[in-house]
Amino acid sequence: MNTKQGLGFDGQVRFFITDSKQLVQELNEINQTSPVAIAALGRSVTLTALMGLMLKGDEKLSTTIAGDGPVGKIIAVANGLGHVKATIANPRVDLPLKESGKLDVSTAVGNGYMQVVKDQGLKDPFVGQTELVSGEIAEDYAYYFMKSEQIPTAITCGVLVDVDYSIKQAGALIVQLLPDATEEVISTLEHVFTNLKPMTTLLDSFDLEQILDAVFDGNFEVLQESEIKMVCDCSYEKFEDGIKMLAPADIIEIKKDEFAEVVCNFCHKQYNVETKNL
């Protein structure tokens, strides 16, 4: 199990923490991403996966990071079962490192907005949208929680790319204040997160429970363990139905060939749809 969720400080906060190295590595291989692109995509998919665990079962949500930077839109979809998929518009964008030697994710993402759509089985989905405050992803998700859902949230999230472009570390921690959180707990968390080492540095030396122990000074309870993983629900039938919804003129053009070649944006699986059935 690569994910834990529970309560801290005698039930005054809730937390979600994950080691997403395997998930991000799989996306890295599928998309053949540059280091800065997988850093942006990896952070977003990791946090979206944790947001999915806030839902029930097959309820699902999608997040869109829409900045004007060169990586373009980042879209991730997750459900309450820990299944997630994600895609990035321009996976091979390459940028110079910052003066600090770190990947320049904020420039890659740029200015724009973050949108969250939740399908919880109600008549209409919940839609929340906030501006991007940094393009560094973690701050943008925290800002979304505060402004759109009115939940004070602290987030640390990171993706460390190795010299061979593989994923050395990836993970995230989300801590949210519950309604009865005291000023003392709020002050303690602010101090902890101000002085907390980067998530990838923590994962280099500690397991998830040791990180939680450091954050909550031992005052935490793990209530659930789960696995977040890449699961794409694309299928031949879905693409066939999608083509049937195109304009009649487009379908006539497609039917000039025996097959319509389509590729899934998320898992990059290719389907050859027979046009005689359109």
Side-chain angles (χ1 to χ4, degrees):
M1 297 295 176
N2 60 12
T3 303
K4 299 177 187 292
Q5 59 192 87
L7 301 174
F9 294 135
D10 300 316
Q12 295 185 60
V13 303
R14 68 172 182 171
F15 65 80
F16 300 81
I17 188 170
T18 187
D19 179 340
S20 59
K21 176 182 175 179
Q22 185 174 340
L23 167 65
V24 177
Q25 178 60 36
E26 187 172 356
L27 285 168
N28 191 29
E29 293 170 0
I30 289 172
N31 292 278
Q32 294 294 297
T33 42
S34 68
V36 72
I38 195 57
L41 177 61
R43 292 177 190 180
S44 188
V45 72
T46 297
L47 292 174
T48 299
L50 291 182
M51 288 179 69
L53 296 179
M54 299 175 188
L55 304 175
K56 298 176 181 177
D58 60 356
E59 293 178 355
K60 65 180 179 180
L61 63 82
S62 66
T63 62
T64 300
I65 299 292
D68 58 6
V71 295
K73 280 187 178 180
I74 302 171
I75 300 172
V77 182
N79 63 19
L81 302 173
H83 300 168
V84 64
K85 60 182 182 179
T87 185
I88 187 168
N90 299 309
R92 296 176 182 83
V93 167
D94 196 15
L95 294 175
L97 297 175
K98 294 181 179 179
E99 289 185 8
S100 63
K102 294 183 178 180
L103 295 169
D104 196 353
V105 175
S106 60
T107 297
V109 172
N111 299 309
Y113 66 88
M114 172 179 175
Q115 185 181 77
V116 176
V117 180
K118 293 184 183 180
D119 181 0
Q120 297 174 281
L122 304 176
K123 182 179 179 181
D124 296 309
F126 165 86
V127 180
Q129 184 169 304
T130 52
E131 63 181 316
L132 296 176
V133 292
S134 74
E136 290 286 348
I137 309 299
E139 293 93 333
D140 302 303
Y141 274 72
Y143 185 76
Y144 160 79
F145 276 118
M146 185 65 219
K147 290 297 182 180
S148 191
E149 300 191 14
Q150 290 76 54
I151 304 174
T153 303
I155 296 175
T156 178
C157 179
V159 173
L160 182 62
V161 183
D162 213 337
V163 291
D164 63 355
Y165 288 11
S166 65
I167 305 304
K168 188 173 182 180
Q169 294 291 355
L173 168 64
I174 297 177
V175 178
Q176 297 185 318
L177 295 178
L178 296 178
D180 61 349
T182 64
E183 288 298 325
E184 181 181 0
V185 164
I186 295 171
S187 178
T188 298
L189 273 179
E190 287 177 347
H191 176 75
V192 168
F193 270 81
T194 298
N195 295 282
L196 197 62
K197 292 180 179 179
M199 190 65 185
T200 52
T201 301
L202 294 172
L203 288 168
D204 252 340
S205 303
F206 307 107
D207 62 27
L208 297 183
E209 294 226 10
Q210 289 173 323
I211 295 172
L212 292 172
D213 189 59
V215 170
F216 298 112
D217 195 24
N219 188 352
F220 69 95
E221 180 184 6
V222 175
L223 300 178
Q224 186 174 335
E225 295 182 286
S226 54
E227 194 82 19
I228 58 169
K229 57 184 177 180
M230 168 78 179
V231 177
C232 189
D233 56 353
C234 67
S235 68
Y236 181 96
E237 290 74 22
K238 283 186 177 181
F239 280 112
E240 184 179 54
D241 291 341
I243 293 174
K244 289 178 179 178
M245 295 177 66
L246 295 174
D250 292 331
I251 294 178
I252 291 173
E253 186 66 25
I254 289 171
K255 293 186 73 170
K256 290 180 180 179
D257 297 314
E258 185 179 356
F259 295 97
E261 181 184 299
V262 290
V263 178
C264 177
N265 285 332
F266 292 98
C267 69
H268 292 195
K269 185 175 180 180
Q270 179 179 310
Y271 295 88
N272 291 312
V273 179
E274 288 188 89
T275 59
K276 66 180 182 181
N277 298 320
L278 300 178

PDB file of all heavy atoms in Angstrom, residues 81-95:
ATOM      1  N   LEU A  81     -11.548   4.871  -5.612  1.00  0.00           N
ATOM      2  CA  LEU A  81     -10.901   3.565  -5.526  1.00  0.00           C
ATOM      3  C   LEU A  81      -9.385   3.661  -5.669  1.00  0.00           C
ATOM      4  O   LEU A  81      -8.693   2.639  -5.624  1.00  0.00           O
ATOM      5  CB  LEU A  81     -11.458   2.638  -6.613  1.00  0.00           C
ATOM      6  CG  LEU A  81     -12.980   2.396  -6.579  1.00  0.00           C
ATOM      7  CD1 LEU A  81     -13.409   1.608  -7.806  1.00  0.00           C
ATOM      8  CD2 LEU A  81     -13.375   1.675  -5.306  1.00  0.00           C
ATOM      9  N   GLY A  82      -8.874   4.872  -5.879  1.00  0.00           N
ATOM     10  CA  GLY A  82      -7.437   5.043  -6.057  1.00  0.00           C
ATOM     11  C   GLY A  82      -6.973   4.942  -7.494  1.00  0.00           C
ATOM     12  O   GLY A  82      -5.780   4.930  -7.762  1.00  0.00           O
ATOM     13  N   HIS A  83      -7.926   4.846  -8.426  1.00  0.00           N
ATOM     14  CA  HIS A  83      -7.581   4.774  -9.847  1.00  0.00           C
ATOM     15  C   HIS A  83      -7.418   6.180 -10.406  1.00  0.00           C
ATOM     16  O   HIS A  83      -8.245   7.054 -10.149  1.00  0.00           O
ATOM     17  CB  HIS A  83      -8.672   4.038 -10.629  1.00  0.00           C
ATOM     18  CG  HIS A  83      -8.896   2.644 -10.166  1.00  0.00           C
ATOM     19  ND1 HIS A  83      -9.990   1.891 -10.557  1.00  0.00           N
ATOM     20  CD2 HIS A  83      -8.176   1.845  -9.339  1.00  0.00           C
ATOM     21  CE1 HIS A  83      -9.920   0.691  -9.991  1.00  0.00           C
ATOM     22  NE2 HIS A  83      -8.827   0.647  -9.246  1.00  0.00           N
ATOM     23  N   VAL A  84      -6.376   6.403 -11.184  1.00  0.00           N
ATOM     24  CA  VAL A  84      -6.109   7.727 -11.721  1.00  0.00           C
ATOM     25  C   VAL A  84      -5.494   7.612 -13.108  1.00  0.00           C
ATOM     26  O   VAL A  84      -4.834   6.624 -13.434  1.00  0.00           O
ATOM     27  CB  VAL A  84      -5.177   8.519 -10.759  1.00  0.00           C
ATOM     28  CG1 VAL A  84      -3.817   7.850 -10.656  1.00  0.00           C
ATOM     29  CG2 VAL A  84      -5.033   9.969 -11.186  1.00  0.00           C
ATOM     30  N   LYS A  85      -5.747   8.601 -13.929  1.00  0.00           N
ATOM     31  CA  LYS A  85      -5.106   8.705 -15.238  1.00  0.00           C
ATOM     32  C   LYS A  85      -4.844  10.187 -15.480  1.00  0.00           C
ATOM     33  O   LYS A  85      -5.501  11.053 -14.892  1.00  0.00           O
ATOM     34  CB  LYS A  85      -5.985   8.118 -16.350  1.00  0.00           C
ATOM     35  CG  LYS A  85      -7.346   8.799 -16.504  1.00  0.00           C
ATOM     36  CD  LYS A  85      -8.172   8.131 -17.603  1.00  0.00           C
ATOM     37  CE  LYS A  85      -9.512   8.837 -17.788  1.00  0.00           C
ATOM     38  NZ  LYS A  85     -10.329   8.214 -18.875  1.00  0.00           N
ATOM     39  N   ALA A  86      -3.870  10.480 -16.332  1.00  0.00           N
ATOM     40  CA  ALA A  86      -3.516  11.881 -16.550  1.00  0.00           C
ATOM     41  C   ALA A  86      -2.836  12.061 -17.889  1.00  0.00           C
ATOM     42  O   ALA A  86      -2.266  11.123 -18.456  1.00  0.00           O
ATOM     43  CB  ALA A  86      -2.605  12.372 -15.424  1.00  0.00           C
ATOM     44  N   THR A  87      -2.877  13.292 -18.382  1.00  0.00           N
ATOM     45  CA  THR A  87      -2.235  13.621 -19.642  1.00  0.00           C
ATOM     46  C   THR A  87      -1.742  15.057 -19.615  1.00  0.00           C
ATOM     47  O   THR A  87      -2.261  15.889 -18.854  1.00  0.00           O
ATOM     48  CB  THR A  87      -3.208  13.422 -20.824  1.00  0.00           C
ATOM     49  OG1 THR A  87      -2.524  13.638 -22.057  1.00  0.00           O
ATOM     50  CG2 THR A  87      -4.387  14.376 -20.746  1.00  0.00           C
ATOM     51  N   ILE A  88      -0.732  15.345 -20.399  1.00  0.00           N
ATOM     52  CA  ILE A  88      -0.174  16.692 -20.499  1.00  0.00           C
ATOM     53  C   ILE A  88      -0.055  17.042 -21.971  1.00  0.00           C
ATOM     54  O   ILE A  88       0.330  16.203 -22.790  1.00  0.00           O
ATOM     55  CB  ILE A  88       1.183  16.769 -19.778  1.00  0.00           C
ATOM     56  CG1 ILE A  88       1.721  18.204 -19.723  1.00  0.00           C
ATOM     57  CG2 ILE A  88       2.206  15.828 -20.402  1.00  0.00           C
ATOM     58  CD1 ILE A  88       2.908  18.372 -18.783  1.00  0.00           C
ATOM     59  N   ALA A  89      -0.399  18.285 -22.325  1.00  0.00           N
ATOM     60  CA  ALA A  89      -0.489  18.652 -23.741  1.00  0.00           C
ATOM     61  C   ALA A  89       0.853  18.572 -24.459  1.00  0.00           C
ATOM     62  O   ALA A  89       0.947  18.041 -25.563  1.00  0.00           O
ATOM     63  CB  ALA A  89      -1.079  20.061 -23.864  1.00  0.00           C
ATOM     64  N   ASN A  90       1.903  19.103 -23.830  1.00  0.00           N
ATOM     65  CA  ASN A  90       3.213  19.142 -24.487  1.00  0.00           C
ATOM     66  C   ASN A  90       4.253  18.491 -23.580  1.00  0.00           C
ATOM     67  O   ASN A  90       4.947  19.180 -22.816  1.00  0.00           O
ATOM     68  CB  ASN A  90       3.606  20.590 -24.796  1.00  0.00           C
ATOM     69  CG  ASN A  90       2.607  21.257 -25.735  1.00  0.00           C
ATOM     70  OD1 ASN A  90       2.276  20.718 -26.784  1.00  0.00           O
ATOM     71  ND2 ASN A  90       2.118  22.423 -25.341  1.00  0.00           N
ATOM     72  N   PRO A  91       4.394  17.173 -23.646  1.00  0.00           N
ATOM     73  CA  PRO A  91       5.232  16.443 -22.693  1.00  0.00           C
ATOM     74  C   PRO A  91       6.736  16.605 -22.863  1.00  0.00           C
ATOM     75  O   PRO A  91       7.487  16.243 -21.959  1.00  0.00           O
ATOM     76  CB  PRO A  91       4.837  14.984 -22.943  1.00  0.00           C
ATOM     77  CG  PRO A  91       4.381  14.953 -24.358  1.00  0.00           C
ATOM     78  CD  PRO A  91       3.702  16.267 -24.581  1.00  0.00           C
ATOM     79  N   ARG A  92       7.189  17.156 -23.977  1.00  0.00           N
ATOM     80  CA  ARG A  92       8.635  17.193 -24.223  1.00  0.00           C
ATOM     81  C   ARG A  92       9.232  18.596 -24.114  1.00  0.00           C
ATOM     82  O   ARG A  92      10.335  18.858 -24.604  1.00  0.00           O
ATOM     83  CB  ARG A  92       8.952  16.567 -25.578  1.00  0.00           C
ATOM     84  CG  ARG A  92       8.589  15.081 -25.620  1.00  0.00           C
ATOM     85  CD  ARG A  92       8.809  14.455 -26.973  1.00  0.00           C
ATOM     86  NE  ARG A  92       8.407  13.054 -26.963  1.00  0.00           N
ATOM     87  CZ  ARG A  92       7.177  12.614 -27.130  1.00  0.00           C
ATOM     88  NH1 ARG A  92       6.203  13.486 -27.328  1.00  0.00           N
ATOM     89  NH2 ARG A  92       6.893  11.324 -27.092  1.00  0.00           N
ATOM     90  N   VAL A  93       8.495  19.499 -23.475  1.00  0.00           N
ATOM     91  CA  VAL A  93       9.014  20.855 -23.274  1.00  0.00           C
ATOM     92  C   VAL A  93      10.276  20.810 -22.411  1.00  0.00           C
ATOM     93  O   VAL A  93      10.327  20.119 -21.396  1.00  0.00           O
ATOM     94  CB  VAL A  93       7.950  21.733 -22.582  1.00  0.00           C
ATOM     95  CG1 VAL A  93       8.554  23.030 -22.083  1.00  0.00           C
ATOM     96  CG2 VAL A  93       6.796  22.005 -23.541  1.00  0.00           C
ATOM     97  N   ASP A  94      11.281  21.550 -22.831  1.00  0.00           N
ATOM     98  CA  ASP A  94      12.535  21.592 -22.073  1.00  0.00           C
ATOM     99  C   ASP A  94      12.851  23.047 -21.741  1.00  0.00           C
ATOM    100  O   ASP A  94      12.793  23.909 -22.614  1.00  0.00           O
ATOM    101  CB  ASP A  94      13.673  20.969 -22.889  1.00  0.00           C
ATOM    102  CG  ASP A  94      14.880  20.628 -22.021  1.00  0.00           C
ATOM    103  OD1 ASP A  94      14.716  20.604 -20.785  1.00  0.00           O
ATOM    104  OD2 ASP A  94      15.960  20.403 -22.571  1.00  0.00           O
ATOM    105  N   LEU A  95      13.174  23.312 -20.486  1.00  0.00           N
ATOM    106  CA  LEU A  95      13.489  24.668 -20.038  1.00  0.00           C
ATOM    107  C   LEU A  95      14.785  24.659 -19.232  1.00  0.00           C
ATOM    108  O   LEU A  95      15.118  23.653 -18.607  1.00  0.00           O
ATOM    109  CB  LEU A  95      12.355  25.224 -19.158  1.00  0.00           C
ATOM    110  CG  LEU A  95      10.994  25.475 -19.803  1.00  0.00           C
ATOM    111  CD1 LEU A  95       9.992  25.907 -18.734  1.00  0.00           C
ATOM    112  CD2 LEU A  95      11.105  26.538 -20.882  1.00  0.00           C
TER     113      LEU A  95
END
